[in-house]
Each structure stands twice: as structure tokens, then as C-alpha cells.
């Protein structure tokens, strides 16, 4: 990635208000954009505060006036980066529409029907001879027209295209302050809002993409904001300056782009690094390219003509560009995602003209394996190998990073970190809606591969302006191609784009990034050498775990499924936060605006409530719904990943090569398609994913009751699996031990079966505990399941008849300069199984949850006499904001009187609201 003044920007508040507030440089409304401490000709900064805005409804002044020191009435403080709606929320004009409200009832949909003027003044340096001044916009949705000091500078089209303008002549006459105005144009095509309807059984009562889908004709924009089955209609359609605005000075020669391409040998022992510089020179001259890689410096003199040119450096000219025994970038769980840093600059006469740093990774990717399809033909199927290691893709789909584009870097990093902690290794960036430098940098850091879609979907007509689409695609490839996390490029969602876009995309990848594969769409590939063996298509709703094992038993085509999901209900606390109190016990359109109808699977929200009651017994109130839903979440979502894990490599004619859950990241508070909540609380779905995707695992096949050892690692696994079977009373009724003779690298093996033992269970419901031990008898991993006895399937209502569990919970907290750690020791001191024991960290003063605070394990299952220790890490900011924290405990059935809670410098309490499941609300769910 090319780094320019890395920043932490705000999107939830205004750092320095404009319009009458004295800025840092003594100018009313002036942004804080002081030059960096750099060589005299090179500097820069972000224009991130002091912005104002106003609707471009014909009453505002034009650009020549706004881009000047003249007083302009009606301007209000603006959040940049941000959208008009985030500015209005920050200014108190509207409450946050995603919490306790229906979005389209809270904010008028007319916000989309106008463009917006943005204005800011910022300090500029006095230019020295030969110095050049540049303005850069990293993202404007949808159309931007830029004015500086009364002069129209240029335009940018499409949400995902950068714009860089040289404004040297204007700044040279600015006398220290520049006035910038940007007209953000509205969409060319917009649908009316899609309204929520609980009774309809489908979210917002109809199709995705708005009532007609016409929004997609705009091309590269956030078209999902028209309304999708996972996103309400966003009233301003996320217009605005949604990415940073920066300024930069250079000498006569500017480094416009740096591309770093590495080629790793088959034996992984050497790597050849090629560096391509795109230069922009004010006049022809001889310059010295300087730089360093991994601490080794280099210099090379080159002749640069006036205008645009390029320079390519290889190990033939620069010895250090051949790397011996390179440190490799690995996907999460397979090794360190190591990144090298390349520093490069251009100078002459001892004066630096420009300089950049690029972080990149060295890795080798192979994309396919031959497989005979059901038609009998042998095709190249999508199957990823990284650094000679076969990788079972276990990923998550991101529809949008956040509904209102409130995405400060810390939030993006936390979201990606949760994917790492859940043991996932890939994120699919659906339709490219979350394409930012912060996103890709976080994926690089945490070892998360990226399936990078572009901007076409089958939910509406194709983009009208093909050239605009391709220009945005070109810039995305150039901008992000240095990121080692990017696995492949993909034209769009669930169907091929128009042929001109297909041809254009294929040509762009061949020109700009030929080392990576490009797919036509997420539904199939029509390229010259097509990649086969992958599809989307769900299921997108709750199904019994056995069904996922049937769909992934190695006999079903295709072997790679990039969309499959389920309901994923959050905790009681979050449901109460995202819904008005009057709706807590009465599902209605407020629930529908939070996606409870999904795509209509399970009969929508009402059908899912009935299904929950059928499987786990009558749902008595909201707390009971939350409690039972955590078990529903866990068993289905764990199976989404465990089924492919149990049938990879050597299983059947079509062994599994990958699965990407729809979805893992929620753009808004939601009841469906997520593994954590919008406020970054990890509920049971998260731990289901985490448990299923462990690199060495033991899995109970929910269809056959086979015991499977899954091994994603590079070494064979040997040892044994100890099996214990328990009844509802917690008493053990069976045990077995299966030898593990050797499950090879990146493979799986069936080591035994518990089907016959389960037929002798004392009741219709039983518990199965599997413990994989190594050759020394040490525990490697354990798995716990509740199952229906074969031949006596009747659901899990019987769980309510099991005796309550008695537990000991002891918690402590340690604090240091880098943050703190909450440690919780849990022990089952009774005989009954402690099922889905749930822990939360909370602020003792306010009672609010501390988030994100993800435990090393949670929703734990502990049999009598067994214990477990778990940890939750708090960063330094959380420790500062929450000086007194506590731990709350709830679970399936807990005997509070017989349990013991103790804290060491931390409060430990029962979560009585979550445990209050007995008072029935007769009309709940009706």
C-alpha cells in the first residue's frame, strides 16, 4: 500500500467546527492541516476539520463564491470524511436512525434529491521555486466538482475513484490560506424508499435494490443504500466526501504511483521484487531514484522526460530486490502475515522531489485444481494454495462496512480483527462497497485474504456509463494492488456484467495486475481460461445442521460455496438497544427494519419464531427468545463451517474447497446474517465460527454421527479422540476412544462413530463431548454438541427439563500501559451440564457492556467437575474509559443459589435480565 500521512479520522463528531469558529491558523473555519516535518519541498496533511456544508438546492452561492473568503449564509458544520446524514446527526438535526427507530420514518428520503456543497479553508505553505502543490480526494459519492480560491479545478466521477489535482499556480497566489469548495452531485437514478413490513414476511416488503433496482444504473456508488434485505433505505444514499481529503507538496518530479510485484520461487527460497514508478515531471531532467528495502539502500540515476513516464527497477539493476529466504505473508492461522516496507524517493541536486513508502507481502498463490464436474468434463476448480499450502477458504461476506459510512480506522481494524479471532481467513468485499485503504491495510495486518468484487449486481439494470465504471475499476486496481491480502478480482454479484464490462475488466487486470485471477462474477466465470467449481445461492436461512452436512458431504457440486447463511440473533442487551421498548415483546415493523424477515426464508421473522419454538420449546418472552436463539445460532452456523471442514481434500468426488458465510459483518443492527452485532459484541454465532474453524479440530458429523479429525496445518495429526456421552441429568452414559493414526496435512479423516452409542441414550436429547489428544495425551482441542438421539428426533424442548447447573465463576483483572486483561475461571461444581455459559464485560458505573471485549472462548459448555479459563483483552482506551469493570454471567439454566461468584478487583454478578425467562408474555411473537 502506498502510504501518505496515515491518519486516524473522525466520522462520528466534528473536531474543529467551521463557520465562525477560529481555526488553528487564525482563520475562521480553517482546517488544521499543518505541514509535516519533511524536507523543504515535500510535505502534506489531511484536511479533516473545519468543514461546513449546505444543500445545493439552488439557494446557495456558486463555487466561485464558496471557494473564497466571502461570507456565505446557511452553512453548517460538516463531518469529513462523512455523509450529509452523519453531519446532520452530529449537529443534532436527527437522532441515530438505526437505534430504536425506523429509518424511513425518522429521516426524510428527500435528502437524496439534492447535491451538497462542502467548504473549508486551510493553511498552505509559501511555495519555493520548483515546488508543486497537489489536492487529493480519496472518495466522493457520487460526482464531485472541485473549486479552489474561486477557480474551478476539475471533477471526479464515481464513488471509488480518486482525484488528484495540481493547483500550484492557485496556491502560489493564496497568501497562506486556500479556500476549497466541493459540489457533491446527487445520483442520476434513485428509487423511492423500500419500507419495512413485518407482515410481508420479506424485509421491506419486496426486492433488493429498491422497488425497481434503478439505482444500479448509476454504476460505482453505494447502490445497496436503496434498500436491501440486510440494509434499510439510507435517506441520503451515503452521498458526500466519504474518504479523506489531503494536500501534498512535491518538487518538480512527483511519484504518482508505486507498484511492487514479487515473484516467489516454487521452493519458497528466493523472491524477485519488481518496482514500477509512475512519475509526473514538470520538465525533463536527470534524477536519482533512491530507496531502501529491508534495511538495504539503493540509488539509481534515470532520465525523466517532461510529463508522465515510468521507471521499472528489478534485481538486475538493484541487488537488494532479490530477496533470499524471504519472510512470507501467510493467511490467518498458517503463519505470520509478514510485510516488507519499501521506501522510495526521487531527488536531484541533493533535494528530495517526492517520496513514498509501500508495505507489501511476498507470497505465492495458486488458484485452481482439476476436478471432474457432474457433466463429466474436467475443469479447473477454484481451490486456493498459498505458499505451497492448500488453504480451505473459510470466509465471511461484507455487504457494507457500516450503513452510514461511519468508519474510523479503529472501527475497521476491530471488525477485521474479529474475523482473525474467529479463525477466518477471507473476507469477500461484496460489490466493492467497503473499498478503503484502512480496510485492506487491516486485512494485510491480520492475514485475511480478500475476494474483491466490483460494482455490478443482478438486482437491477447494469451501469449506464460503462466508461465511468471501468475508470473506477482501473483506479481501484492501481490503488490497492500492492496489498498482499487481495486474493482475486471479481466483476460483480451473482451474474455476469454486460459484455463490455467483462471485456474491460479482463483487459484491465491483464494490463495492471496479471499475477492475480479475475472472475466474471460470484456466480461463475466466463473468462478465457474459466475458473469453475464455485457458486453462491444459499441457503440463506436456518436449516438443521444435518442439512449442511448433506450439502457438503463431498458428493454435491460445486465444491466452493461463496454465499450461505442463517439467522443470527444478538444478545438481549443489544435487542433492547436496537428496538423501542414497546416493540421488545411484540415483533413489528421495527423488527423488520432490523432485517428480521431476511430474504423470506423460514417464512420470515414470524416463521423463524415458530421454528425456534418448535425446536426449543415455547418462547415465553424476549429474554427466552434471546436464550433459545443463541443455541439456534450456534448449532446452525457452526455446521455452515464444520460441514466443509469435515469433507475437504480427500472426501468424495467433490471435496470442499471453500465456504464464505452470508454474512459476517453487519452494516446495521440486525437479526440475521452476522457473527457479531453492529456494536461489535460477539454473540454465540461468533464462537460457533471460531470453534468450527480451528486449524486442528475434531468434528461430530451432524448427519452420520461420524467423528472427524480435520487438519488444516502443514503437519500430520496423530493421537486419539476421547468421546464422552451425557444425558440430560449430566450423568455419563457412554464413552469411547478412537486412535488417530495420521491425518495428513490439509486433510481430514473419519476416526470413528458414535451413532450406535447415541441410540442407547436415556432420553431424546444427549450431549457429546469430543477431546482430541496428541501422542503424549495432552489435549489439543475439544468439541461439545447437543444432539437428538437417532430414531427419536423430537427437537430440544427437553433441555428445559434438565436440572439447573451450579457453577463457580472467579474473575480478576490486570491493567498495564497497553491495556488490561479480564481473566475468568469457570468450574462446574454440580452434576448437571452447564450449557452455553455466557460472559460479558460491563462497566460497573453504568451497567453498559464494554465493547469490543471478545473472550478467548465464550458460550462455554462444562460438564460436572470440569473447569475452563478464558480471557478478554481491553485496550488502553477501554481501560481509561471504564476504570471499574465487572463480569456478568448467564446461560441456559443456572442454579444461582448453589453457584459461587467471586471477584478479585472486579465485580462478578448474574445477568438477571437474561436469566429472567420464566414470566410468560402470552402475546410474544404475535
Amino acid at each position: 500500500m502506498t502510504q501518505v500521512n496515515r491518519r486516524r479520522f473522525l466520522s462520528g463528531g466534528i473536531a474543529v467546527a467551521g463557520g465562525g469558529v477560529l481555526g488553528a491558523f487564525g482563520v475562521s473555519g480553517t482546517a488544521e492541516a499543518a505541514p509535516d516535518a519533511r524536507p523543504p519541498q515535500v510535505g502534506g496533511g489531511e484536511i479533516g476539520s473545519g468543514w461546513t456544508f449546505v444543500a445545493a438546492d439552488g439557494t446557495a452561492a456558486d463555487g466561485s463564491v464558496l471557494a473564497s473568503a466571502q461570507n456565505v449564509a446557511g452553512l453548517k458544520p460538516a463531518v469529513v470524511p462523512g455523509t450529509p446524514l452523519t453531519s446532520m446527526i452530529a449537529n443534532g438535526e436527527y437522532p441515530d436512525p438505526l437505534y430504536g427507530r425506523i429509518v424511513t420514518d425518522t429521516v426524510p428520503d428527500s435528502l437524496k434529491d439534492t447535491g451538497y456543497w462542502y467548504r473549508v479553508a486551510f493553511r498552505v505553505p509559501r511555495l519555493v521555486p520548483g515546488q508543486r502543490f497537489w489536492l487529493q480526494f480519496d472518495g466522493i459519492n457520487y460526482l464531485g466538482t472541485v473549486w479552489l480560491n474561486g477557480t474551478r479545478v476539475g471533477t471526479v466521477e464515481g464513488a471509488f475513484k480518486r482525484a488528484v489535482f495540481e493547483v500550484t499556480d492557485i496556491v502560489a497566489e493564496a497568501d497562506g490560506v486556500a479556500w476549497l469548495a466541493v459540489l457533491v452531485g446527487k445520483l442520476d437514478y434513485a428509487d423511492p424508499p423500500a419500507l419495512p413490513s413485518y407482515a410481508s414476511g420479506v424485509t421491506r416488503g419486496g426486492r433488493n435494490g429498491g422497488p425497481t433496482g434503478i439505482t444500479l444504473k448509476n454504476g460505482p456508488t453505494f447502490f445497496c443504500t436503496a434498500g436491501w434485505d440486510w440494509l434499510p433505505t439510507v435517506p441520503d444514499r451515503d452521498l458526500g466526501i466519504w474518504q479523506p481529503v489531503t494536500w501534498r507538496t512535491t518538487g518538480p518530479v512527483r511519484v504518482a504511483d508505486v507498484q511492487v510485484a514479487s515473484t516467489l520461487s516454487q521452493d519458497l527460497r528466493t523472491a524477485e521484487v519488481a518496482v514500477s514508478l509512475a512519475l509526473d515531471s514538470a520538465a525533463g531532467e536527470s534524477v536519482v531514484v533512491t530507496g531502501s528495502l529491508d534495511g538495504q539502500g539503493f540509488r539509481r540515476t534515470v532520465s525523466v522526460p517532461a510529463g508522465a513516464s515510468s521507471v521499472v527497477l528489478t534485481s538486475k539493476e538493484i541487488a537488494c530486490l532479490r530477496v533470499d529466504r524471504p519472510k512470507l505473508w501467510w493467511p490467518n492461522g498458517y503463519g505470520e502475515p509478514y510485510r516488507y516496507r519499501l521506501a522510495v524517493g526521487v531527488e536531484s541536486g541533493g533535494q528530495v522531489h517526492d517520496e513514498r513508502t509501500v508495505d507489501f507481502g511476498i507470497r505465492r498463490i495458486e488458484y485452481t485444481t482439476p476436478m471432474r464436474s457432474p457433466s463429466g468434463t474436467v475443469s479447473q476448480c477454484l481451490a486456493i494454495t498459498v505458499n505451497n499450502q492448500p488453504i480451505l477458504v473459510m470466509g465471511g461476506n461484507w455487504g457494507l462496512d457500516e450503513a452510514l459510512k461511519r468508519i474510523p480506522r479503529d472501527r475497521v481494524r476491530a471488525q477485521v480483527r474479529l474475523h482473525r479471532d474467529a479463525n477466518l481467513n477471507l473476507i469477500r468485499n461484496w460489490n466493492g462497497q467497503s473499498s478503503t485503504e484502512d480496510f485492506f491495510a487491516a486485512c494485510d495486518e491480520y492475514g485475511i485474504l480478500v475476494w474483491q468484487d466490483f460494482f455490478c449486481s443482478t438486482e437491477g439494470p447494469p451501469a449506464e456509463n460503462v466508461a465511468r465504471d471501468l475508470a473506477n475499476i482501473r483506479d481501484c486496481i492501481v490503488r490497492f494492488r500492492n496489498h498482499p491480502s487481495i486474493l482475486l478480482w471479481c466483476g460483480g454479484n451473482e451474474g455476469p456484467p454486460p459484455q463490455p464490462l467483462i471485456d474491460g475488466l479482463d483487459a484491465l487486470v491483464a494490463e495492471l495486475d496479471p499475477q492475480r485471477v479475475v472472475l466474471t462474477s460470484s456466480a461463475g466465470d466466463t473468462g478465457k481460461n474459466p475458473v469453475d467449481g464455485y457458486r453462491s445461492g444459499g441457503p440463506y436461512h436456518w436449516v438443521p445442521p444435518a442439512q449442511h452436512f448433506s450439502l457438503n458431504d463431498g458428493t454435491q457440486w460445486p465444491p466452493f460455496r461463496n454465499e450461505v447463511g442463517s439467522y443470527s440473533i444478538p444478545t438481549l442487551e443489544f435487542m433492547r438497544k436496537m428496538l423501542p421498548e414497546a416493540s421488545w415483546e411484540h415483533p413489528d415493523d421495527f423488527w423488520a427494519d432490523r432485517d428480521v424477515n431476511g430474504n423470506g426464508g423460514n417464512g420470515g421473522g414470524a416463521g423463524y419464531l415458530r421454528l425456534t419454538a418448535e425446536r426449543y420449546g415455547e418462547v415465553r418472552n424476549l429474554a427466552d427468545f434471546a436464550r433459545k436463539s443463541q443455541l439456534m445460532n450456534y448449532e446452525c452456523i457452526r455446521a455452515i463451517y464444520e460441514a466443509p471442514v469435515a469433507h475437504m481434500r480427500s472426501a468424495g468426488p467433490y471435496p470442499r474447497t471453500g465456504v464464505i458465510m452470508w454474512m459476517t459483518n453487519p452494516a446495521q443492527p440486525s437479526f440475521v446474517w452476522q457473527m457479531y452485532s453492529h456494536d461489535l459484541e460477539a454473540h454465540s454465532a461468533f464462537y460457533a465460527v471460531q470453534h468450527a474453524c480451528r486449524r486442528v479440530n475434531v468434528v461430530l458429523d451432524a448427519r452420520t454421527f461420524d467423528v472427524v479429525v480435520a487438519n488444516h496445518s502443514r503437519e500430520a495429526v496423530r493421537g486419539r479422540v476421547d468421546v464422552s456421552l451425557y444425558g440430560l441429568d449430566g450423568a455419563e452414559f457412554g464413552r469411547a476412544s478412537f486412535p488417530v493414526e495420521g491425518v495428513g496435512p490439509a486433510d481430514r479423516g473419519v476416526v470413528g462413530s458414535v451413532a450406535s452409542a447415541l441410540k442407547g441414550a436415556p432420553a431424546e436429547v444427549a450431549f457429546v463431548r469430543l477431546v482430541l489428544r496428541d501422542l503424549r495425551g495432552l489435549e489439543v482441542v475439544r468439541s461439545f454438541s447437543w444432539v437428538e438421539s437417532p430414531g427419536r428426533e423430537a427437537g430440544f424442548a427437553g433441555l428445559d427439563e434438565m436440572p439447573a447447573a451450579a457453577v463457580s465463576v472467579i474473575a480478576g483483572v490486570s491493567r498495564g500501559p497497553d491495556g488490561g486483561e479480564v481473566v475468568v475461571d469457570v468450574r462446574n461444581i454440580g452434576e448437571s451440564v452447564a450449557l452455553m455459559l455466557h460472559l460479558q464485560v460491563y462497566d460497573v458505573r453504568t451497567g453498559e457492556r464494554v465493547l469490543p471485549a471478545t473472550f478467548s472462548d465464550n458460550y462455554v459448555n462444562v460438564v460436572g467437575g470440569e473447569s475452563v479459563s478464558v480471557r478478554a483483552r481491553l485496550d488502553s482506551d477501554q481501560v481509561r474509559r471504564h476504570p471499574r469493570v465487572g463480569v456478568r454471567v448467564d446461560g441456559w439454566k443456572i442454579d444461582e443459589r448453589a453457584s459461587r461468584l467471586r471477584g478479585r478487583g472486579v465485580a462478578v454478578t448474574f445477568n438477571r435480565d437474561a436469566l429472567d425467562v420464566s414470566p410468560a408474555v402470552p402475546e410474544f411473537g404475535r
Side-chain angles (χ1 to χ4, degrees):
M1 61 186 174
T2 303
Q3 296 186 331
V4 184
N5 299 309
R6 299 298 299 148
R7 77 272 176 248
R8 176 181 178 178
F9 61 87
L10 299 174
S11 62
I14 299 172
V16 178
V21 178
L22 195 63
F25 299 96
V27 179
S28 178
T30 302
E32 298 182 37
D36 292 340
R38 291 193 172 193
Q41 288 193 335
V42 180
E46 181 179 348
I47 309 170
S49 60
W51 288 88
T52 56
F53 84 119
V54 67
D57 55 7
T59 61
D62 64 15
S64 63
V65 173
L66 283 161
S68 74
Q70 295 186 49
N71 290 327
V72 178
L75 292 168
K76 297 180 180 180
V79 175
V80 174
T83 70
L85 181 53
T86 55
S87 294
M88 294 173 190
I89 293 171
N91 292 337
E93 294 180 54
Y94 299 108
D96 188 323
L98 302 184
Y99 286 84
R101 295 171 174 84
I102 292 173
V103 175
T104 48
D105 288 350
T106 306
V107 183
D109 198 61
S110 57
L111 296 187
K112 74 179 188 307
D113 296 329
T114 181
Y116 293 88
W117 279 106
Y118 284 79
R119 183 196 201 199
V120 70
F122 64 101
R123 186 77 163 148
V124 294
R126 295 190 182 279
L127 302 183
V128 299
Q131 194 173 27
R132 305 167 79 186
F133 193 99
W134 310 83
L135 275 178
Q136 177 162 319
F137 296 83
D138 282 350
I140 296 176
N141 185 36
Y142 165 65
L143 306 172
T145 305
V146 179
W147 294 70
L148 187 69
N149 283 11
T151 301
R152 187 177 186 272
V153 172
T155 61
V156 56
E157 298 186 11
F160 304 102
K161 190 175 188 303
R162 293 169 298 175
V164 181
F165 304 107
E166 184 178 5
V167 290
T168 303
D169 292 344
I170 299 173
V171 170
E173 300 176 356
D175 196 25
V177 176
W179 290 86
L180 174 63
V182 182
L183 175 61
V184 175
K186 66 178 183 178
L187 300 177
D188 295 316
Y189 303 97
D191 258 331
L195 303 179
S197 171
Y198 181 75
S200 72
V202 264
T203 295
R204 284 165 279 282
R207 58 171 292 149
N208 291 331
T212 70
I214 197 172
T215 303
L216 278 90
K217 290 185 71 174
N218 295 294
T221 185
F222 304 114
F223 54 73
C224 55
T225 58
W228 227 262
D229 51 11
W230 47 269
L231 190 71
T233 298
V234 178
D236 66 354
R237 305 302 190 266
D238 283 346
L239 295 171
I241 305 174
W242 72 280
Q243 282 286 278
V245 182
T246 56
W247 64 272
R248 184 172 179 81
T249 57
T250 70
V253 182
R254 169 178 171 257
V255 179
D257 181 62
V258 182
Q259 181 184 9
V260 181
S262 62
T263 303
L264 181 61
S265 64
Q266 180 68 50
D267 61 10
L268 312 182
R269 292 184 177 180
T270 60
E272 295 286 342
V273 178
V275 179
S276 300
L277 304 180
L279 304 178
D280 182 326
S281 180
E285 62 178 299
S286 179
V287 299
V288 178
V289 176
T290 66
S292 66
L293 175 61
D294 202 26
Q296 300 182 60
F298 60 84
R299 297 174 64 86
R300 184 167 184 240
T301 301
V302 298
S303 180
V304 178
S309 64
S310 62
V311 174
V312 178
L313 305 176
T314 69
S315 62
K316 293 180 181 178
E317 303 88 16
I318 309 295
C320 68
L321 296 183
R322 177 184 171 91
V323 183
D324 293 321
R325 300 194 178 278
K327 298 175 182 178
L328 303 183
W329 187 92
W330 285 97
N332 180 34
Y334 296 91
E336 181 187 0
Y338 187 84
R339 287 157 294 157
Y340 286 88
R341 172 159 290 186
L342 171 75
V344 64
V346 178
E347 65 179 52
S348 63
Q351 177 66 59
V352 175
H353 290 257
D354 200 3
E355 56 188 4
R356 300 292 178 101
T357 59
V358 179
D359 291 344
F360 69 98
I362 295 176
R363 79 283 189 278
R364 176 187 178 89
I365 297 180
E366 297 162 81
Y367 289 92
T368 62
T369 189
M371 204 175 293
R372 191 174 298 276
S373 71
S375 67
T377 61
V378 176
S379 57
Q380 293 297 319
C381 290
L382 187 63
I384 304 303
T385 298
V386 180
N387 303 334
N388 299 338
Q389 168 71 20
I391 302 293
L392 178 67
V393 168
M394 298 172 292
N397 282 278
W398 280 36
L400 190 65
D401 36 30
E402 205 278 332
L404 306 186
K405 300 305 287 185
R406 296 173 293 191
I407 48 170
R409 181 195 294 171
D410 286 353
R411 178 180 175 88
V412 173
R413 289 187 73 253
Q415 289 167 295
V416 177
R417 185 173 64 248
L418 283 166
H419 285 68
R420 180 203 64 181
D421 293 346
N423 295 320
L424 294 178
N425 55 32
L426 179 140
I427 291 171
R428 176 183 168 216
N429 186 7
W430 179 88
N431 284 119
Q433 303 284 279
S434 302
S435 297
T436 67
E437 178 64 34
D438 289 331
F439 169 72
F440 291 111
C443 290
D444 290 347
E445 177 184 354
Y446 294 124
I448 303 297
L449 294 163
V450 178
W451 173 311
Q452 175 68 10
D453 277 2
F454 287 117
F455 322 120
C456 188
S457 174
T458 57
E459 303 286 350
E464 184 176 72
N465 190 326
V466 172
R468 179 188 294 162
D469 237 43
L470 290 174
N472 277 248
I473 291 171
R474 169 181 281 276
D475 195 61
C476 276
I477 294 173
V478 169
R479 181 179 182 182
F480 299 124
R481 61 190 171 184
N482 290 327
H483 289 276
S485 55
I486 296 179
L487 174 68
L488 56 81
W489 309 106
C490 181
N493 181 53
E494 296 185 346
Q499 196 62 44
L501 272 175
I502 296 174
D503 295 341
L505 173 60
D506 288 348
L508 286 172
V509 174
E511 172 197 352
L512 303 170
D513 194 24
Q515 290 184 321
R516 287 187 174 96
V517 155
V518 56
L519 305 177
T520 304
S521 81
S522 66
D525 188 26
T526 63
K528 183 177 180 181
N529 298 300
V531 176
D532 200 1
Y534 70 93
R535 299 289 185 275
S536 49
Y540 297 97
H541 53 275
W542 195 96
V543 300
Q547 186 169 331
H548 284 298
F549 279 86
S550 294
L551 291 171
N552 292 279
D553 65 356
T555 69
Q556 306 293 315
W557 184 266
F560 193 120
R561 183 78 66 169
N562 57 36
E563 287 186 17
V564 54
S566 178
Y567 275 85
S568 180
I569 309 300
T571 61
L572 174 67
E573 289 80 10
F574 191 65
M575 281 194 281
R576 286 179 170 178
K577 185 177 178 181
M578 74 189 199
L579 298 169
E581 186 170 357
S583 298
W584 288 357
E585 306 286 349
H586 311 285
D588 55 14
D589 288 353
F590 289 92
W591 288 52
D593 216 30
R594 304 286 82 84
D595 311 325
V596 77
N597 284 336
N599 68 345
N602 297 131
Y608 178 77
L609 288 170
R610 289 193 296 270
L611 180 63
T612 302
E614 291 168 5
R615 192 157 182 87
Y616 284 98
E618 179 188 4
V619 180
R620 295 185 285 268
N621 57 23
L622 187 65
D624 196 35
F625 176 61
R627 176 180 76 135
K628 289 172 176 170
S629 290
Q630 297 312 310
L631 277 73
M632 292 279 282
N633 291 352
Y634 189 89
E635 58 168 336
C636 181
I637 290 175
R638 184 170 72 164
I640 287 174
Y641 290 99
E642 279 194 343
V645 162
H647 296 96
M648 61 177 175
R649 195 73 179 271
S650 62
Y654 311 125
R656 301 297 93 180
T657 57
V659 61
I660 310 177
M661 188 168 78
W662 186 263
M663 305 159 71
T664 45
N665 176 69
Q668 69 138 355
S670 180
F671 284 104
V672 67
W673 303 330
Q674 59 191 348
M675 70 173 182
Y676 49 79
S677 304
H678 181 257
D679 63 357
L680 308 187
E681 180 179 34
H683 48 267
S684 67
F686 174 90
Y687 295 97
V689 176
Q690 183 187 69
H691 294 163
C693 297
R694 293 172 291 197
R695 293 299 177 264
V696 175
N697 207 0
V698 58
V699 174
L700 181 66
D701 187 315
R703 181 173 64 102
T704 64
F705 298 109
D706 286 342
V707 176
V708 183
V709 172
N711 176 22
H712 302 266
S713 74
R714 292 187 286 253
E715 305 293 334
V717 172
R718 294 178 175 84
R720 72 175 192 271
V721 175
D722 291 336
V723 181
S724 300
L725 308 177
Y726 302 89
L728 285 175
D729 60 357
E732 187 179 56
F733 69 84
R735 64 171 57 190
S737 184
F738 302 129
V740 181
E741 303 293 347
V743 177
D747 206 353
R748 39 72 77 186
V750 178
V751 299
S753 174
V754 297
S756 59
L758 284 173
K759 290 180 179 178
E764 290 82 4
V765 177
F767 301 110
V768 181
R769 185 181 67 173
L770 308 175
V771 180
L772 172 64
R773 301 185 185 278
D774 64 17
L775 291 173
R776 296 171 296 172
L778 299 177
E779 181 176 316
V780 176
V781 67
R782 70 172 60 189
S783 173
F784 191 92
S785 305
W786 51 98
V787 301
E788 299 171 273
S789 301
R792 292 184 285 169
E793 294 85 355
F796 295 109
L799 289 175
D800 255 344
E801 305 304 317
M802 65 187 287
V807 295
S808 166
V809 179
I810 302 173
V813 62
S814 61
R815 295 177 176 87
D818 297 328
E821 186 176 64
V822 178
V823 180
V824 184
D825 296 315
V826 178
R827 183 174 182 84
N828 188 330
I829 57 176
E831 297 180 351
S832 184
V833 172
L835 183 63
M836 295 290 275
L837 199 67
H838 173 224
L839 308 170
Q840 287 177 325
V841 180
Y842 73 100
D843 187 308
V844 173
R845 297 174 303 171
T846 66
E848 292 294 320
R849 295 158 296 149
V850 176
L851 298 172
T854 305
F855 281 94
S856 56
D857 196 6
N858 210 338
Y859 293 92
V860 295
N861 303 288
V862 190
V863 301
E866 192 175 44
S867 60
V868 63
S869 181
V870 298
R871 289 167 165 77
R873 182 73 185 167
L874 305 180
D875 63 33
S876 55
D877 186 54
Q878 288 175 313
V879 170
R880 179 185 59 79
R881 289 185 290 111
H882 308 285
R884 295 184 59 213
V885 298
V887 173
R888 281 197 293 248
V889 184
D890 64 83
W892 180 252
K893 292 188 73 175
I894 299 178
D895 185 338
E896 295 183 38
R897 291 187 176 182
S899 296
R900 303 184 204 132
L901 308 183
R902 183 156 58 96
R904 296 169 178 161
V906 58
V908 183
T909 61
F910 285 114
N911 186 345
R912 289 199 165 82
D913 284 349
L915 293 169
D916 192 14
V917 299
S918 56
V921 178
E923 63 272 28
F924 180 81
R926 296 181 176 88

